Amino acid sequence: MGESGPKSLEAMMMSDIAKDRMAHSVKKRGSMSSLSGREFWQKELHRCTKNSMSTVSYMDEPSQRDDASRLTVQMENTYQLGPTKHFPVVIVNHILKDVLTKYLQEEQYEPELCRQMTKTISEVIKAQVKDLMIPRYKLIVIVHIGQLNSQNIFIGSRCLWDPKSDTFSSYVFRNSSLFALASVYAVYFE
Amino acid sequence: FTFRIRKIEALRGCEIPLDVDITHCIDGVLGGEDYNQNNINQWTASIVEQSLTHLVKLGKAYKYIVTCAVVQRSAYGFHTASSCFWDTTSDGTCTVRWENRTMNCIVNVFAIAIVL
């Protein structure tokens, strides 16, 4: 990794007084390092701090290691045109039905209970759909719970995606005092 | 009547200030209207479609999911929660709540990055 050519190093020396952090001098030296770039500079940093002196050093030319450490990961091309395994809508429908019935069959509407319940149910559904292990799919699970008593509610959604690979699944559950709507959107990661 | 607008969280990851655009969309469609069962279908459709057009105009490489829930204002409770399995560095969400004298409207936008 260190064979790409002379690297220029700028070092800032800090004074001994702990509070004073102004740079006193700047040195430039070219050196060929046989260690790989990153570890060498880090070692230098640690050593200097023990003696109440710190050096900050960086390399001018960006190396491949710098790119990999940034948050957004550069993916290689897979040359896949579409998903190998499509999202199983029917299975997910069953999951939604089972989870909603299990959690809400006997419940009455109560504000505190339903507030916790929406969060719990959405986490449970997400975990169960993740267990299906469909590769390269991102999931969004939305749960609405409301009190059922002759008021009107209308919920709609539109999506801008690739309909060949992305899909959604939803289920409505009703009992005597409440209703619940759960939807799962699955988006293929291109 | 007064309508109050509150944003829950801005779009993380992609950092697009969406709540203003979406509130304008909702105002345009629902502002000054009372809850009406006949029109509700068409109102939600136009809110969602206008939000999507705004998002597309931003020209970013994202897939979008927009959901809109309109509830008649009543003494009855309503809860919503969502959980997502995605890449937290590049994907994000934005939620806008809007209300007037007769109804409440909640619009959720989810944006998922496309890696080109």
Side-chain angles (χ1 to χ4, degrees):
Chain A
M1 287 283 275
E3 300 300 310
S4 56
K7 300 180 180 100
S8 69
L9 162 70
E10 282 182 43
M12 286 164 42
M13 308 289 284
M14 310 276 184
S15 73
D16 282 342
I17 305 167
K19 288 179 194 164
D20 185 1
R21 292 186 164 270
M22 301 294 285
H24 283 287
S25 63
V26 173
K27 278 199 233 166
K28 262 203 181 185
R29 49 187 160 101
S31 58
M32 290 275 285
S33 169
S34 57
L35 297 172
S36 71
R38 186 166 293 272
E39 284 111 355
F40 178 66
W41 309 136
Q42 277 179 354
K43 273 184 211 161
E44 189 177 40
L45 192 65
H46 287 302
R47 185 170 40 83
C48 288
T49 43
K50 280 185 206 161
N51 303 332
S52 72
M53 224 169 39
S54 53
T55 31
V56 175
S57 50
Y58 56 90
M59 293 193 301
D60 280 351
E61 42 194 56
S63 65
Q64 283 186 349
R65 279 187 159 243
D66 288 333
D67 285 342
S69 69
R70 287 196 206 123
L71 281 178
T72 45
V73 180
Q74 298 285 341
M75 297 276 206
E76 289 231 334
N77 210 336
T78 58
Y79 298 100
Q80 270 182 354
L81 290 175
T84 44
K85 184 174 171 195
H86 276 264
F87 195 71
V89 181
V90 181
I91 301 183
V92 175
N93 272 336
H94 286 306
I95 291 180
L96 292 178
K97 184 165 145 190
D98 292 337
V99 173
L100 285 179
T101 338
K102 187 175 99 175
Y103 277 82
L104 297 175
Q105 186 67 53
E106 302 300 328
E107 304 291 344
Q108 296 295 315
Y109 179 84
E110 275 150 40
E112 269 315 306
L113 171 74
C114 287
R115 184 182 308 166
Q116 289 309 313
M117 200 58 92
T118 38
K119 296 184 209 164
T120 325
I121 294 182
S122 66
E123 292 293 329
V124 167
I125 293 177
K126 186 176 75 170
Q128 291 201 2
V129 178
K130 269 167 77 175
D131 284 341
L132 296 175
M133 301 280 269
I134 320 285
R136 296 180 73 99
Y137 267 93
K138 295 182 179 177
L139 305 171
I140 296 168
V141 179
I142 305 178
V143 176
H144 307 263
I145 296 186
Q147 203 173 0
L148 189 70
N149 265 321
S150 71
Q151 85 276 27
N152 258 316
I153 177 172
F154 196 93
I155 301 177
S157 79
R158 286 280 192 288
C159 311
L160 184 71
W161 57 26
D162 180 359
K164 282 179 273 186
S165 53
D166 305 326
T167 182
F168 79 101
S169 161
S170 66
Y171 183 75
V172 179
F173 168 83
R174 264 170 276 230
N175 76 7
S176 53
S177 64
L178 57 78
F179 71 91
L181 164 71
S183 11
V184 178
Y185 297 89
V187 180
Y188 181 68
F189 177 57
E190 300 184 24
Chain B
F1 52 82
T2 53
F3 45 84
R4 283 156 276 160
I5 299 153
R6 277 164 274 160
K7 90 175 163 198
I8 295 179
E9 56 180 41
L11 212 68
R12 273 176 288 137
C14 40
E15 292 167 8
I16 308 172
L18 276 183
D19 40 304
V20 182
D21 291 336
I22 297 181
T23 3
H24 284 317
C25 291
I26 309 180
D27 286 344
V29 176
L30 294 181
E33 304 276 355
D34 283 342
Y35 189 91
N36 184 343
Q37 178 128 10
N38 302 331
N39 296 340
I40 192 68
N41 201 348
Q42 169 190 338
W43 286 339
T44 20
S46 54
I47 290 175
V48 174
E49 271 157 36
Q50 284 179 27
S51 313
L52 264 182
T53 359
H54 270 286
L55 291 165
V56 168
K57 276 192 209 151
L58 294 173
K60 312 244 175 179
Y62 280 97
K63 294 183 180 178
Y64 297 105
I65 295 171
V66 181
T67 59
C68 171
V70 181
V71 198
Q72 207 174 4
R73 272 188 92 158
S74 55
Y76 305 111
F78 180 64
H79 301 266
T80 309
S82 70
S83 79
C84 309
F85 176 60
W86 59 24
D87 181 355
T88 44
T89 54
S90 61
D91 306 328
T93 176
C94 172
T95 312
V96 174
R97 276 185 282 152
W98 183 98
E99 60 188 21
N100 76 0
R101 200 174 46 94
T102 45
M103 51 189 167
N104 281 319
C105 174
I106 301 174
V107 176
N108 266 316
V109 178
F110 299 92
I112 296 161
I114 301 175
V115 180
L116 293 168

